[in-house]
Structures are given as C-alpha cells and as structure tokens.
C-alpha cells in the first residue's frame, strides 16, 4: 500500500493562530511527542521570523532525530541562511521554500511579475539544494492560481531540485473535487518520484475533506496541525485525517506510520500550551467524542459498542479516569507513572515535578493522571519563564475594596524585584492590576478562564489568561488548588511573555 507522509505544522502554521506564542521548551515538548506519534515531517518553525523561532528550530533539530525537521523560508537568501543555521544539528533537515503564485498575491502583495516569481523560485530552490538534499517548494495561494502557471512553477521547482512540491489552499477556498483535479493535473506533469503535497486551511470547514480528496488523487504528503489550529479558522486537523485514513483504510487504500494511541495526550498538551480549548464535540479528541447521552444509544453501546462507536477510545488514547497516586506514594511510583504517561522529564524536571506532586498530595486525597499531566504542562512553562511570582496576598469582603499585593522576582529584567499593591473591581482584577504594575506595563485582560483539573471537590484550578497591549497578545496559565494563586501565576506568566516579546522585537 502506498504511504501517505504526515507533515505536522503545529509548531509553525499552528503557532500562527491569533494570540498563540509557544516558548522553545514547550515547542520541544510537542516535537518530542510528535516523534512518538510517528509523524514523518515536523515543521519546527520559521527561523527568520524571530530569534525565539530560530532557537526553537535548533533545539528541536538537536533533540528530535526520527522525523525530517523542516524550517520555512521565503525565497530570500537571508531566510535560507537563517534556516540552514537553525537546521545545522538536524539528522534529516528539510528546507521549505514558499512564494505566492496567484495573480492577486503576485500583483498586490509581492508586486512581482510571473517572470520575477519564476526567477525567485529558480534562485532559491537551486541555492537550498546546494546545502540540503531535501527541499520542499510551496506555491502559496495555489488553489487561486492559474493552473497552467502552477504547472510551470512546479516543473521549474522540480528541475531546480525540489523533492516535494506543495499545493496550499492558503485561504481555504477550494472544494474536494477541485482539489482532486488539481493534484492529478500537477502529478501528471512531474516525475513520479516527486512527492505532491496538500496543505489545506479550514475557512469553509472543508480542510479535512479537501485533504482527503488530495490523497485520493495521489498526494503523497498531507500538511496538518494538531487540533486543527492555525491561521484564522485553522489548518487541517492531524487527528481527523489520520483517523479517517486508518479507520477507512479499506476505502483509501493508503498507509500511515502514525501510532494513534498518542493522539489524545498530544491534543491535551497542545491545547494547554496554546491556551486554545478543544471543543467538546470535536471529532476524535473532544470530551464528548465517546460520550453517549440518549437511552437508545446507551442501550446499544451496552449490548455491543460497535452499534454507535466506529472507534475505540483506547485506539486514540482517550483517558480512563484512574485515581492512582496519593500522599503516601513514593518517588519510584511517581517516576513510573511519568513514564507511563510519556512524560519525558530529565532529573531536574523530575525533582521539581515530584515536589509539586507532594505539595498537591498534601492538599488533595488522590492525584489523578490528569493532575500529573497538568502539573507537567505547567512546569514546562514555568521552567522557561524567568520572572517568578514569589508571593501574593488578596483582600476581599463586603466591607473592603478588593486589594492585591504581589511580589515578582526578575520582573521585566533579571535582578529586579517588584512589590506592588493595587485595587480592582474584584480579586482577579486587583491581582491583574498589581501584576501589570510589577512589570511596569499597562495591558488589557482579553480572556480569563478557570477550569477544574482532576475532578472532585478538591480539584485543582487551572487558569488561562490572555492579555493584550496594542498589537501584541500573550497567554499565561497557572495551576493550583487555590484559584487565586493560579490566577496570580497565570498573570505573571502572561505579562512576562508580553514584555519579553516586546523586548525581542526591540532587539531585532
Ligand atoms: O497556507 C499556506 O500557504 C502556508 C504555506 C507557507 C505553505 O502555510
Ligand atoms: Zn498554511
């Protein structure tokens, strides 16, 4: 059976979701998880975009050896040089070059003629091929480009050494039949060994259907993102395409090298790191994907699960609520549980997690798998975050104005300790105002979300916040059995990221 290569772009296109910024350690954790999942290609970032992006690509290239590691570039030489530097430690590097080919993009955005675009392709692909054997070329806005010009573009990219050519439906405009026709047309003018890829956005909710139509027409690679995150309405969902190909292999007659039992866990990780909630009714990984409400369905399921389920939750690693560890559990059991949960923590991280687990076990009777995963996701963010919330205090009640005090170490710059007090409409607002003062930065609170983790009356509270200043937005999260502590942590993380993003822009 012909394979379909899975190209994951969660860390590049996925990170382009409005308001999402992942720190390098979070990207590395996702990249390692993607390696376990078995993706063929991992697009680690766009190195020229920022020093943080370049650092993340390099970190991933050093540590993730199994998949091909791709870095995105425009046709400019400085982009290719930045990508080559970041990919230098990679076992299997890929340079991914993109330029737009639709009349609209060429005329208004690039201000280039067709001839100039062809020259750019020839120069950039030829240059990249001097340094790496694996070059992908993408024709941005391909589905709104003149198909005859697209043939010329891809033939040129192939002749200059591109090994994969990608057809992006950049604005989610195409429909399945048209995508199938386009893939067949492009394949017919290229060598059989050149891989044709599809990259679909979800503006009309057709990304998965269009991608599968591409596969049926012979595409050898699909570009997807976990939970379907990405620009605007997002990218094609990795989990949906993969499970469609696996579940209906009888129909598609194509194989994938994915180990789907990791899907649920990675989906949770991506959701936490990005702050983008998975809707409960989302296929494959949503909370309700395997829930049955009506009596008739429940009756059917009890008699034979297959009456209303085409997938087994085990197949995608959907959790069984197990209450496993408590305050008497030792380090060994804890480390074993980390392994079982596929949490790759070095000795220092293990120690920090064990301390956090012990603190938590003092506060609640049982610590569930969901608690441990949340602790881990929280610590990954904390580990890379310089400023630290040292202490906080909140005063509330019917006869006092809500007032908060925070003490933040390394606020805005290393060595700067800030102790600030502020009042607000309520305890959350007072904490937010105090943290903003600690960072000497005004900001607006765009979103505040509190979710229980682990269940039960002693559940931990997980807080997600999004803050904005001008054009810049940043997410933060906090986790604690005390929801105000979780709130103060989340504000500190978000403000630290906001300030760091501004400092990075100022430095570049
Ligand atoms: O949507 C798009 O066109 C892209 C390209 C960079 C492949 O993301
Ligand atoms: Zn895209």
């Amino acid at each position: 059976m012909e394979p379909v290569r899975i190209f994951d772009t969660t860390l590049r296109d996925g990170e382009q979701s409005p308001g999402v910024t992942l720190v390098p350690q979070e990207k590395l954790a996702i990249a390692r998880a993607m390696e376990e999942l078995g993706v063929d290609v991992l697009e680690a970032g766009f190195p020229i975009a920022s020093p943080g992006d370049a650092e993340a690509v390099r970190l991933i290239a050093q540590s993730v050896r199994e998949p091909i590691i791709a870095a995105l570039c425009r046709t400019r030489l400085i982009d290719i040089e930045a990508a080559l530097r970041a990919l230098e430690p990679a076992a299997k590097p890929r340079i991914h070059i993109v330029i737009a080919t639709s009349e609209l993009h060429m005329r208004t955005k690039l201000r280039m003629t067709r001839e100039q675009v062809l020259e750019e392709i020839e120069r950039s692909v030829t240059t990249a091929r001097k340094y790496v054997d694996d070059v992908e070329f993408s024709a941005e806005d391909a589905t709104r480009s003149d198909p005859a010009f697209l043939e010329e573009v891809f033939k040129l990219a192939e002749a200059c050494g591109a090994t994969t050519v990608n057809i992006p439906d950049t604005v989610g405009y195409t429909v399945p039949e048209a995508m199938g026709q386009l893939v067949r047309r492009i394949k017919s003018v290229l060598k059989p060994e050149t891989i044709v890829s599809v990259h679909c956005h979800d503006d009309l909710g057709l990304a998965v259907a269009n991608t599968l139509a591409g596969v049926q027409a012979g595409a050898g690679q699909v570009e997807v993102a976990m939970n379907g995150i990405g620009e605007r309405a997002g990218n094609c969902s990795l989990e949906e395409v993969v499970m469609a190909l696996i579940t209906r292999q009888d129909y598609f007659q194509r194989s994938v090298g994915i180990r789907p039992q990791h899907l649920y866990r990675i989906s949770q990780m991506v959701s936490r790191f990005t702050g983008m909630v998975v809707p409960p009714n989302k296929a494959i990984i949503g909370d309700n994907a395997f829930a049955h409400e009506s009596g008739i369905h429940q009756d059917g399921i009890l008699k034979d699960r297959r009456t209303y389920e085409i997938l087994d939750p085990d197949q995608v690693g959907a959790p069984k609520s197990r209450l496993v560890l408590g305050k008497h559990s030792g380090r060994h059991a804890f480390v074993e549980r980390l392994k079982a949960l596929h949490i790759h923590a070095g000795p220092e991280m293990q120690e920090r997690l064990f301390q956090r687990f012990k603190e938590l076990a003092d506060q609640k009777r049982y610590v569930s798998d969901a608690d441990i995963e949340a602790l881990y996701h929280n610590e990954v963010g904390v580990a890379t975050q310089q400023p630290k919330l040292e202490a906080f205090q909140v005063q509330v009640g019917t006869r006092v104005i809500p007032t908060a005090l925070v003490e933040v170490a390394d606020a805005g710059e290393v060595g700067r300790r800030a102790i600030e007090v502020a009042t607000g409409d309520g305890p959350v607002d007072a904490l937010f105002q105090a943290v903003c003062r600690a960072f000497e930065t005004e900001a607006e609170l765009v979103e505040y979300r509190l979710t229980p983790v682990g269940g039960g009356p002693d559940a931990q509270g997980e807080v997600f916040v999004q803050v904005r200043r001008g054009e810049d937005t940043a997410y933060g999260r906090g986790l604690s059995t005390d929801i105000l502590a979780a709130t103060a942590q989340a504000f500190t993380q978000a403000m630290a990221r906001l300030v760091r993003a501004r400092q990075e822009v100022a430095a570049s």
Side-chain angles (χ1 to χ4, degrees), residues 100-103 114 139-150 182:
T101 53
S102 65
E103 292 302 325
R114 286 186 175 197
E140 191 188 10
D141 208 16
T143 52
R144 292 192 299 169
S145 303
D146 170 5
F149 180 54
L150 214 49
L182 189 57

Side-chain angles (χ1 to χ4, degrees), residues 322-338 341 343 349-376 378-379 460 479 481:
R322 273 177 297 161
L323 299 174
V324 280
L325 295 172
K327 68 193 273 184
H328 302 297
S329 308
R331 190 183 300 269
H332 187 183
F334 180 71
V335 171
E336 285 307 307
R337 186 99 304 259
L338 289 182
L341 293 172
I343 293 176
M349 175 64 105
Q350 262 181 24
E351 188 51 38
R352 274 213 315 273
L353 286 173
F354 187 61
Q355 292 314 324
R356 296 278 287 120
F357 156 68
K358 281 290 185 187
E359 286 160 23
L360 183 61
D362 267 343
Q363 290 159 19
K364 57 185 303 206
R365 197 155 158 220
Y366 295 116
V367 178
S368 68
D369 289 354
D371 281 319
I372 296 173
E373 278 174 344
L375 281 184
Y376 168 62
N378 199 50
E379 281 300 309
Q460 298 191 86
L479 180 73
T481 47

Side-chain angles (χ1 to χ4, degrees), residues 390-391 404-409 411 416-422 434-435 437-439:
E390 296 281 357
L405 174 145
V406 296
E407 182 176 342
V408 181
R416 183 172 166 271
R417 178 172 295 273
I419 302 178
E420 291 292 344
V421 180
V435 173
R437 281 190 186 171
F439 283 88

Side-chain angles (χ1 to χ4, degrees), residues 12-13 72 96 98 138 140-141 166 168-170 199 201 223:
R12 200 277 300 166
D13 216 333
L72 185 68
H96 179 190
V98 61
S138 283
E140 191 188 10
D141 208 16
N166 182 34
D169 184 27
T170 304
H199 172 117
H201 280 266
E223 302 198 355

Side-chain angles (χ1 to χ4, degrees), residues 29-331:
I30 293 176
R32 287 200 164 121
M34 288 293 175
E35 183 176 36
E36 274 187 278
L37 182 67
V39 300
D40 300 279
V41 188
L42 183 81
E43 189 163 47
F46 186 13
I48 197 73
S50 75
D53 242 48
E55 182 194 337
V57 175
R58 196 175 174 87
L59 200 61
I60 291 167
Q62 269 159 0
S63 328
V64 178
R65 314 299 288 172
E66 208 40 57
I68 294 167
I69 306 296
L72 185 68
C73 325
R74 291 164 301 182
T75 50
R76 298 182 189 178
L77 189 58
I78 51 164
D79 286 34
I80 298 175
E81 285 168 349
L84 286 169
R85 275 196 301 278
L87 286 175
E88 192 256 322
K92 301 177 196 167
R94 171 179 294 188
I95 295 280
H96 179 190
I97 296 174
V98 61
I99 191 165
T101 53
S102 65
E103 292 302 325
L104 180 67
H105 277 235
M106 290 189 293
R107 192 179 60 245
T108 58
K109 187 183 79 174
L110 299 177
R111 295 183 201 283
M112 284 185 192
T113 59
R114 286 186 175 197
E115 290 64 38
Q116 286 169 317
V117 166
L118 291 171
E119 277 165 27
E120 289 286 308
I121 296 168
E122 182 169 8
R123 189 185 39 70
S124 58
V125 176
T126 310
T127 307
R129 262 315 291 268
K130 282 195 200 134
Y131 300 97
V132 290
D133 292 336
D134 188 342
V135 174
E136 170 168 338
F137 171 75
S138 283
E140 191 188 10
D141 208 16
T143 52
R144 292 192 299 169
S145 303
D146 170 5
F149 180 54
L150 214 49
E151 282 182 5
E152 197 181 342
V153 157
F154 285 139
K155 279 202 291 197
L156 175 64
E158 180 187 74
C160 297
T163 41
T164 301
V165 298
N166 182 34
I167 306 179
D169 184 27
T170 304
V171 289
Y173 175 75
T174 200
V175 292
E177 208 179 327
M179 182 52 116
Q181 279 166 5
L182 189 57
V183 169
R184 270 188 283 273
R185 178 163 179 172
I186 297 303
K187 270 183 77 70
S188 73
V189 297
L190 298 178
K191 297 182 201 148
E193 62 271 26
T194 301
I195 294 170
V196 174
S197 166
V198 289
H199 172 117
C200 299
H201 280 266
D202 207 28
D203 299 65
L204 294 176
L206 290 172
V208 172
N210 289 336
T211 301
L212 291 173
V215 169
Q216 277 181 284
Q221 173 179 285
V222 293
E223 302 198 355
V224 290
M226 195 73 218
N227 298 347
I229 64 171
E231 286 276 8
R232 306 179 311 278
N235 280 80
C236 176
S237 284
L238 181 154
E239 65 282 5
E240 293 180 18
V241 162
V242 160
M243 288 317 292
L245 290 171
I246 292 177
T247 311
R248 296 306 313 274
Q249 200 177 57
D250 61 321
Y251 180 76
F252 290 105
Q253 295 291 317
R254 305 288 293 273
S255 66
V256 287
I258 294 290
R259 293 177 274 273
Q261 66 273 24
H262 299 292
L263 284 172
Y264 182 84
R265 169 176 75 83
I266 303 176
S267 160
Q268 292 285 301
M269 178 188 275
V270 169
S271 168
R272 281 222 172 81
F273 287 170
T274 57
M276 294 182 75
V277 182
V278 175
N281 62 336
K282 176 96 168 70
I284 316 295
I285 38 79
D287 275 353
N288 293 351
F290 300 101
H292 304 274
E293 170 74 24
S294 87
I296 295 173
H297 285 209
Q298 287 177 349
D299 179 55
I301 285 283
L302 288 171
K303 289 179 174 142
D304 185 335
R305 193 188 58 74
R306 291 168 302 176
T307 50
Y308 290 102
E309 271 180 7
I310 56 164
L311 302 170
D312 186 330
D314 278 349
Q315 232 183 315
V316 296
K320 311 227 178 306
S321 38
R322 273 177 297 161
L323 299 174
V324 280
L325 295 172
K327 68 193 273 184
H328 302 297
S329 308
R331 190 183 300 269

